[in-house]
Amino acid sequence: GNGAPIQQEVVSDGKRRPDVKVFLGDGGVPRSQCVDTDGNGSLDTRYRLSGGAVTEGLIDNDGDGVGNIKQIFEGGQVVRSHFDTDKDGRADVIQYHAADGSVRLQCEDSTRDGTVDRCFEGQTAVAVSGTTDVSAPFGKLGCGSFHPFWRKN
């Protein structure tokens, strides 16, 4: 390469070990950031960045390295969350968020065939709308781990 760094590990808030790993693109611009949100030494959340702003979050909430929750951001706010509730690697629930963060619409793939087939506003069934194809797998976080130096120190 050109000698420019491609990743950086960050120790935040006075901690003794890193809890953030930043992946850098051309010109040293951050393109994604992985975070150890629970302090156990494993990276469990990946954020994709564009122009310095978060556009997508992928959360591994069971420690297997594969995403279970995908968040879509606009203007720094989560506007949509996709959940894999049956551990098949694909979304089966999508929640659409209002500006205050509350859930305004929840849609589900109740038959697990990769297509949203029902939606609710609160407890009330409404017409299916929004994203309907939920067949694409979330995939792995792809964060790797922190440098081996931190295992000993």
Side-chain angles (χ1 to χ4, degrees):
N2 61 6
I6 57 170
Q7 55 185 270
Q8 177 181 23
E9 294 180 355
V10 180
V11 179
S12 62
D13 301 325
K15 295 178 180 163
R16 293 177 42 87
R17 296 172 186 240
D19 57 344
V20 177
K21 187 174 184 179
V22 180
F23 294 85
L24 306 169
D26 294 338
V29 175
R31 58 183 175 80
S32 66
Q33 172 176 301
C34 295
V35 183
D36 172 11
T37 62
D38 58 11
N40 71 353
S42 296
L43 296 161
D44 52 52
T45 302
R46 180 193 69 214
Y47 295 106
R48 293 195 189 275
L49 308 167
S50 179
V54 175
T55 58
E56 178 187 295
L58 187 61
I59 301 165
D60 169 17
N61 65 3
D62 62 7
D64 66 359
V66 177
N68 309 99
I69 302 168
K70 181 177 179 180
Q71 300 172 316
I72 306 301
F73 289 77
E74 290 177 5
Q77 299 293 317
V78 177
V79 295
R80 195 168 72 239
S81 298
H82 300 230
F83 298 88
D84 173 13
T85 64
D86 63 359
K87 307 285 187 207
D88 69 351
R90 297 166 175 30
D92 40 70
V93 173
I94 301 176
Q95 293 180 340
Y96 295 84
H97 302 281
D100 67 1
S102 64
V103 176
R104 63 175 180 79
L105 178 70
Q106 177 166 309
C107 297
E108 304 171 358
D109 173 10
S110 66
T111 59
R112 307 297 195 253
D113 66 355
T115 303
V116 167
D117 51 53
R118 64 185 186 190
C119 292
F120 300 89
E121 288 178 353
Q123 299 296 316
T124 306
V126 296
V128 171
S129 62
T131 301
T132 57
D133 182 356
V134 291
S135 62
F138 287 159
K140 295 184 180 226
L141 266 62
C143 294
S145 58
F146 292 115
H147 191 277
F149 169 83
W150 297 108
R151 288 188 209 128
K152 298 180 216 127
N153 298 297

